[in-house]
Amino acid sequence: MESTRVDKWLWAVRLFPTRTAATDACGGGHVRVNGAPAKAATTVRIGDRVTAHAGGRERVLEVVTVIDKRV
């Protein structure tokens, strides 16, 4: 797998408790991929930088592995 949806990836790395919460964060403008606002269907690849406001803080994550199932 080379890419996956950003909402699915955020849920899989346990940044959000549900995929719906990750989708809502994307729709609310709280998620950016490589500095650009991201919709839920935005794809992420290895090396991308994802910034998300979750749990009252800003988290900056780098995609090292593309996963779509919870770990």
Side-chain angles (χ1 to χ4, degrees), residues 5-68:
R5 293 171 52 114
V6 69
D7 64 334
K8 194 181 242 188
W9 187 83
L10 288 168
W11 169 77
V13 297
R14 297 186 178 263
L15 195 60
F16 291 96
T18 63
R19 189 163 166 204
T20 303
T23 302
D24 291 344
C26 291
H30 301 290
V31 177
R32 294 179 167 269
V33 175
N34 296 325
K39 294 183 180 179
T42 302
T43 58
V44 292
R45 293 176 170 75
I46 294 174
D48 285 348
R49 186 168 296 248
V50 179
T51 305
H53 292 278
R57 352 173 161 163
E58 181 179 77
R59 303 278 192 127
V60 180
L61 305 161
E62 184 174 341
V63 180
V64 176
T65 304
V66 177
I67 58 174
D68 63 351

